[in-house]
Amino acid sequence: MTHFSKTMIAALFATAIAAPAVAHDIESRTVALPVIGAGDAYEVVIKCHHGYALSGGVKKGKRIFPDGPLVVSGSYPKTTRSWAIELTNRSGRPTGAMETSATVYSLCGYHH
């Protein structure tokens, strides 16, 4: 059996209480995409309303690879509170107006 001193237990307890709890939230939205030229890219940015952007992505849609002409070519923090997804048209033709949409999301972390 391991024994801890009262001082050590008090220090561990104080550290646990003093450390802020981190909570997570997911922000998401569906965006109707404009015409994207053949080989061109389009950036969609989603903002964290509470906290900081930790990661992000895009939900696969019917026009996103492998079923469509768009491929996710980038996923990165745009600012400390927003995440960017870059979609590139890999087809040999422009996408049609309102032909596709993308549901983008960001995992946001904050202290409470």
Side-chain angles (χ1 to χ4, degrees):
M1 175 183 238
T2 305
H3 294 280
F4 296 101
S5 71
K6 289 181 184 179
T7 305
M8 181 180 239
I9 292 172
L12 289 171
F13 186 69
T15 301
I17 289 174
V22 176
H24 297 91
D25 189 20
I26 295 177
E27 299 280 344
S28 71
R29 71 182 162 118
T30 301
V31 178
L33 299 173
V35 172
I36 302 173
D40 290 346
Y42 184 77
E43 182 183 73
V44 179
V45 178
I46 187 161
K47 182 181 177 191
C48 288
H49 296 288
H50 304 287
Y52 298 95
L54 303 175
S55 68
V58 62
K59 179 179 176 187
K60 183 188 169 311
K62 65 181 180 179
R63 303 297 296 158
I64 303 213
F65 182 80
D67 302 326
L70 299 176
V71 63
V72 176
S73 53
S75 179
Y76 47 87
K78 184 73 173 179
T79 67
T80 57
R81 295 184 184 270
S82 64
W83 198 266
I85 304 295
E86 184 180 81
L87 299 165
T88 299
N89 182 352
R90 64 184 179 92
S91 73
R93 66 163 183 83
T95 60
M98 307 300 265
E99 175 183 355
T100 190
S101 63
T103 301
V104 295
Y105 64 89
S106 178
L107 176 63
C108 308
Y110 56 93
H111 297 285
H112 63 104

